[in-house]
Amino acid sequence: MSDATGPRVVVVGAGPAGIRAAEALVAGGLTPIVIDEGERAGGQIYRRPPQGFTRPPEVLYGSEAGKAVALHRTFDSLAAAGRLVHHSRSSVIAIADGRLQVLDGTGSRWISYDRLILATGAMDRVLPVPGWETAGVYGLGAMQIALKAQGAALGRRIVLAGTGPLLTLLAVQLLKAGAQVAAVLDTSSMRQQLRGFSGLAARPLFALRGLMMRRSLGRLYHAGVRLDRIEADERGPVAALWRDGAGREQRTPCDAVGLGWHLRAETRLADLAGCDFAYDETWRQWLPQADAMGRAGRGVYLAGDGLRILGADGAEVAGRLAAVACLQDLGLPAAGVSSEKRRLARFSRFAHGVAQAFPWPSHAATGLPDETVVCRCEGVTAGELRKTADFGGGEVNRVKSLGRVGMGRCQGRYCELAASEIVAGSAGHACAAAAGRLRGQAPVRPAPISALLQDSAGNG
């Protein structure tokens, strides 16, 4: 690459964190390289539809339309002026020796870097339930992407289940688009949600907006439920079977189900970049470690939901801080750190409130029936996983090597949390952290064999 001047700084991800990081780097006199899987910048939260799509931003993003448009314009103007290099529809599939292997529509190539900012975002955090492997069961994020990018509702009669802000937000968005939502099933009880009040008070207007959305759902919304199973036939879901807060059995007919228990950080590239990890009890997941500015060591900086689940506003701040840290470490001028740190602290308090109000159902996976599919990619059931765990010494990577859990296309992104709980439970561990975490490995995305055969210089 010869189209960037000065130290070569690469930003992976063009969501709120990546865009603000790139903007700050440009302000510091650099020409960053931005690599993103989307066709246009915005990330998942501010995903843009194809050119010619007629729905206005106010419909696509609601009250966040102004923020979305501002981010889009910032990035587009920098790219048009040649202030940054944008590689769209490109996936980083490997990191080694200061280089990134990038896969796009023409094949793969290696791009070197002096500094690397990872703004990889987050994805749906999903808990397996009996029947979730059937066609017509999606993550809440996937349903939202289809709605934003194509104006399509995935289903004619939809049940949404899980917990977290996205659950009610998506329900409201689907209803506004004219879709039929049959029920919104929140596994967090109202009492549990009140436990997060002190943290949620850090952003009172934001919390109030969420409450108003909740109220607009009326009788569609049910708190403190337990989703027992998804009933399906050869065509897909037929009904969601669940128990209400009083333990009464309920059956809601449907032809599509959306599942999501808030979010989990996308950390595979951070793992390949050599970042340290620690289990976070608040979020019930393994997270990479970094200082307050996002420094993760070895010339690597982390920002946004790929480091901590702070939401879009928090991601913008974290992106700027990571870029400032990068500029400082390069000996270049950068300012505005103190005020940004204070803002980030407020977003962090709010995020912890969200985590307390809408928790991952701890130990729910340990009670799954043996026939429940845990790893959808490889078809590994809870019963098979328990049997394998007996030979794996209570460590999830050994269980993976013996029973193939987490070996499929998603590399355990959807099944790891539940699998770790089951392995830990079978081994008698007190918590899922004792079972360890699935180690990341290249390629982090499915890639053709031809790309994997290319050498480090990019030659076949």
Side-chain angles (χ1 to χ4, degrees):
M1 295 288 299
S2 60
D3 44 4
T5 60
R8 181 169 297 173
V9 180
V10 177
V11 179
V12 179
I19 291 174
R20 292 307 185 197
E23 180 186 33
L25 292 171
V26 170
L30 300 180
T31 305
I33 300 167
V34 181
I35 302 171
D36 188 56
E37 294 181 341
E39 185 167 358
R40 295 195 288 169
Q44 301 296 8
I45 184 66
Y46 298 137
R47 175 180 282 266
R48 285 192 272 183
Q51 296 282 2
F53 199 73
T54 57
R55 297 180 72 201
E58 291 73 20
V59 175
L60 288 171
Y61 311 114
S63 61
E64 305 300 295
K67 297 176 184 177
V69 171
L71 280 167
H72 296 160
R73 286 176 177 168
T74 294
F75 188 89
D76 290 349
S77 62
L78 293 174
R83 305 294 301 278
L84 59 81
V85 180
H86 181 208
H87 295 293
S88 63
R89 302 181 67 179
S90 300
S91 296
V92 177
I93 60 173
I95 301 177
D97 302 323
R99 291 168 292 178
L100 309 173
Q101 188 177 17
V102 182
L103 183 69
D104 59 22
T106 62
S108 81
R109 53 180 162 165
W110 288 82
I111 296 177
S112 63
Y113 63 85
D114 299 308
R115 305 282 170 162
L116 176 64
I117 298 179
L118 295 176
T120 49
M123 58 183 293
D124 289 317
R125 183 168 60 169
V126 180
L127 175 68
V129 297
W132 78 307
E133 74 278 8
T134 188
V137 179
Y138 310 92
L140 297 179
M143 283 192 157
Q144 190 183 54
I145 288 171
L147 187 64
K148 288 180 179 178
Q150 300 294 336
L154 299 180
R156 295 182 177 87
R157 183 175 171 82
I158 304 167
V159 168
L160 304 179
T163 197
L166 182 57
L167 180 70
T168 49
L169 174 60
L170 177 59
V172 170
Q173 290 174 332
L174 285 169
L175 289 169
K176 285 185 177 179
Q180 183 181 3
V181 178
V184 181
L185 309 177
D186 196 331
T187 58
S188 180
S189 67
M190 296 305 298
R191 177 178 296 180
Q192 179 66 50
Q193 292 176 37
L194 287 173
R195 291 176 182 170
F197 178 78
S198 60
L200 297 176
R203 302 184 68 188
L205 293 180
F206 201 84
L208 179 61
R209 189 184 306 157
L211 180 60
M212 296 302 293
M213 284 193 294
R214 171 84 53 78
R215 292 188 63 183
S216 72
L217 296 176
R219 293 175 179 250
L220 291 177
Y221 178 80
H222 306 271
V225 311
R226 189 183 81 189
L227 181 61
D228 287 335
R229 62 188 294 259
I230 298 168
E231 190 177 286
D233 60 19
E234 67 278 1
R235 295 171 298 178
V238 172
L241 280 64
W242 52 284
R243 295 176 184 271
D244 61 22
R248 296 177 296 237
E249 295 183 355
Q250 307 287 341
R251 182 180 186 275
T252 303
C254 61
D255 63 5
V257 177
L259 299 176
W261 279 261
H262 201 34
L263 300 171
R264 62 167 294 173
E266 174 51 72
T267 62
R268 290 300 188 266
L269 291 181
D271 200 354
L272 296 188
C275 298
D276 294 327
F277 280 71
Y279 188 79
D280 192 304
E281 284 290 347
T282 299
W283 294 104
R284 299 297 179 95
Q285 55 189 283
W286 290 88
L287 294 174
Q289 300 300 289
D291 70 9
M293 299 287 289
R295 294 183 180 91
R298 306 171 185 87
V300 177
Y301 308 81
L302 305 177
D305 286 348
L307 173 61
R308 296 290 183 274
I309 310 296
L310 299 182
D313 293 342
E316 289 189 49
V317 176
R320 281 191 288 264
L321 285 175
V324 167
C326 178
L327 291 169
Q328 290 176 341
D329 294 346
L330 290 170
L332 298 172
V337 173
S338 297
S339 61
E340 294 289 58
K341 281 186 175 180
R342 288 193 295 271
R343 293 186 65 203
L344 196 65
R346 182 164 62 90
F347 292 135
S348 182
R349 290 196 302 273
F350 179 81
H352 276 75
V354 171
Q356 288 181 316
F358 307 104
W360 170 261
S362 180
H363 305 298
T366 58
L368 289 174
D370 280 346
E371 64 274 14
T372 306
V373 172
V374 175
C375 175
R376 296 195 298 185
C377 296
E378 295 295 314
V380 180
T381 66
E384 293 167 339
L385 186 57
R386 291 181 180 112
K387 291 178 181 178
T388 308
D390 292 339
F391 299 96
E395 203 281 320
V396 70
N397 285 285
R398 294 186 64 189
V399 173
K400 171 184 175 181
S401 66
L402 293 170
R404 298 195 60 81
V405 64
M407 278 193 179
R409 291 173 61 88
C410 83
Q411 293 194 2
R413 289 175 174 88
Y414 289 106
C415 65
E416 177 181 6
L417 298 179
S420 296
E421 283 192 2
I422 292 173
V423 171
S426 296
H429 297 318
C431 66
R437 65 181 180 89
L438 292 179
R439 293 184 291 268
Q441 53 188 328
V444 299
R445 299 288 190 199
I449 295 297
S450 59
L452 304 182
L453 292 177
Q454 291 178 322
D455 63 24
S456 61
N459 299 313

